[in-house]
């Protein structure tokens, strides 16, 4: 994963308790970054994604780009001075997509980075700092996100027991397939008893029945 801004500083974090601005939703729905290296710095794609929308919102986001990631997250990049991609394009992780700016409803040059569960029109924002694997607080941002090497996913019930066993063996985190949480900083996933791939790098363990699935899972624990 790449940071949307290199050598960045957070000036207003997600649901920032220090924020004095009155937002429609009652809190700051994204993370505001400034560049430590200057004002009009490059804004880059955090992951391989597609450009869902390029827009102009003079009263709000100004020049903005929405990237769709993994088919289920819509990521807003707002207040840009320049947009370097067009709608429908595929972008690569780390590729420059625009230049930071202060267009729209903004008092200074910054990037408003917001993550919503798709579709973005539902306005259901999630914690963008957690999504990027960085600390949700004001100040300098580490350039390397905190990555989670492995997560084991399962549905409730029998597969969950096999998942628990594997999680103990691998010392990995376990999550419900129905509530996968933020996935951008997950490097590798195991999915027990389902062909679903929450991220690209997924190992599916599916047997002919639930016993076979459990057997196959236990085989990995040898
Ligand atoms: Zn903001």
């Amino acid at each position: 994963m790449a940071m949307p801004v290199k050598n960045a500083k957070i000036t207003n974090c997600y649901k920032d308790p220090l924020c004095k601005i009155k937002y429609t939703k009652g809190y700051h729905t994204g993370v505001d970054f400034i560049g430590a290296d200057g004002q009009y710095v490059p804004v880059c794609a955090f992951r391989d994604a597609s450009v869902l929308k390029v827009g102009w919102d003079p009263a709000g986001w100004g020049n903005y780009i929405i990237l769709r990631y993994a088919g289920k997250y819509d990521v807003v990049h707002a207040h840009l001075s320049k947009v370097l991609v067009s709608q429908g394009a595929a972008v690569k992780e780390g590729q420059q997509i625009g230049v930071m700016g202060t267009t729209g409803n903004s008092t200074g040059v910054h990037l408003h980075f917001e993550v919503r569960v798709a579709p973005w029109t539902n306005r259901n924002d999630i914690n963008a700092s957690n999504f990027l694997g960085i600390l949700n607080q004001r100040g300098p941002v580490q350039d390397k996100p905190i990555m989670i090497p492995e997560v084991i996913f399962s549905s409730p019930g029998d597969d969950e027991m096999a998942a628990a066993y594997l999680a103990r063996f691998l010392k990995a985190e376990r999550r419900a397939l129905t509530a996968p949480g933020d996935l951008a900083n997950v490097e590798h996933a195991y999915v027990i008893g389902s062909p679903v791939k929450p991220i690209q790098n997924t190992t599916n363990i599916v047997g002919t029945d639930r016993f076979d699935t459990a057997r196959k899972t236990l085989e990995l624990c040898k």
Side-chain angles (χ1 to χ4, degrees):
M1 177 147 59
M3 280 294 123
V5 178
K6 290 247 152 56
N7 200 5
K9 229 173 115 176
I10 293 178
T11 53
N12 192 359
C13 63
Y14 180 73
K15 293 191 175 173
D16 198 325
L18 304 172
C19 181
K20 301 271 188 294
I21 305 165
K22 293 273 164 272
Y23 293 102
T24 8
K25 241 188 148 177
Y27 58 85
H28 188 227
T29 49
V31 174
D32 289 348
F33 292 107
I34 59 166
D37 300 333
Q39 291 210 303
Y40 293 86
V41 295
V43 171
C44 302
F46 65 101
R47 280 282 202 193
D48 291 2
S50 58
V51 181
L52 184 73
K53 192 172 160 69
V54 168
W56 166 242
D57 170 20
W61 286 340
N63 284 317
Y64 66 92
I65 299 169
I66 301 177
L67 296 184
R68 177 158 288 183
Y69 167 66
K72 53 193 146 202
Y73 298 104
D74 289 343
V75 182
V76 180
H77 304 71
H79 311 302
L80 303 171
S81 62
K82 241 185 226 155
V83 169
L84 301 173
V85 290
S86 45
Q87 212 156 299
V91 293
K92 285 272 166 214
E93 177 177 317
Q95 179 189 331
Q96 186 179 357
I97 56 171
V99 178
M100 200 184 268
T102 183
T103 54
N105 184 13
S106 164
T107 52
V109 176
H110 77 286
L111 170 72
H112 174 86
F113 181 91
E114 177 170 333
V115 183
R116 295 178 175 186
V117 176
W120 66 280
T121 43
N122 279 357
R123 295 174 176 267
N124 45 354
D125 48 272
I126 59 171
N127 187 321
S129 298
N130 287 357
F131 183 83
L132 286 172
I134 58 173
L135 295 175
N136 189 47
Q137 62 185 33
R138 293 184 182 197
V141 176
Q142 76 268 24
D143 258 333
K144 279 261 172 273
I146 304 158
M147 299 302 288
I148 302 171
E150 283 171 327
V151 175
I152 297 154
F153 295 92
S154 67
S155 303
D158 297 310
D159 295 336
E160 215 173 11
M161 293 168 69
Y165 199 89
L166 184 62
R168 256 205 315 279
F169 179 77
L170 295 173
K171 294 185 174 56
E173 189 185 322
R174 200 153 57 83
R175 297 184 193 174
L177 202 49
T178 45
D182 300 337
L183 298 171
N185 59 337
V186 175
E187 277 175 340
H188 180 238
Y190 286 96
V191 174
I192 315 280
S194 162
V196 169
K197 291 189 185 297
I199 59 170
Q200 211 165 3
N201 190 10
T202 296
T203 305
N204 296 90
I205 307 162
V206 188
T208 48
D209 56 30
R210 63 197 171 93
F211 297 109
D212 194 36
T213 297
R215 187 187 58 75
K216 282 188 165 168
T217 307
L218 296 185
E219 254 167 35
L220 291 174
C221 302
K222 278 178 185 158

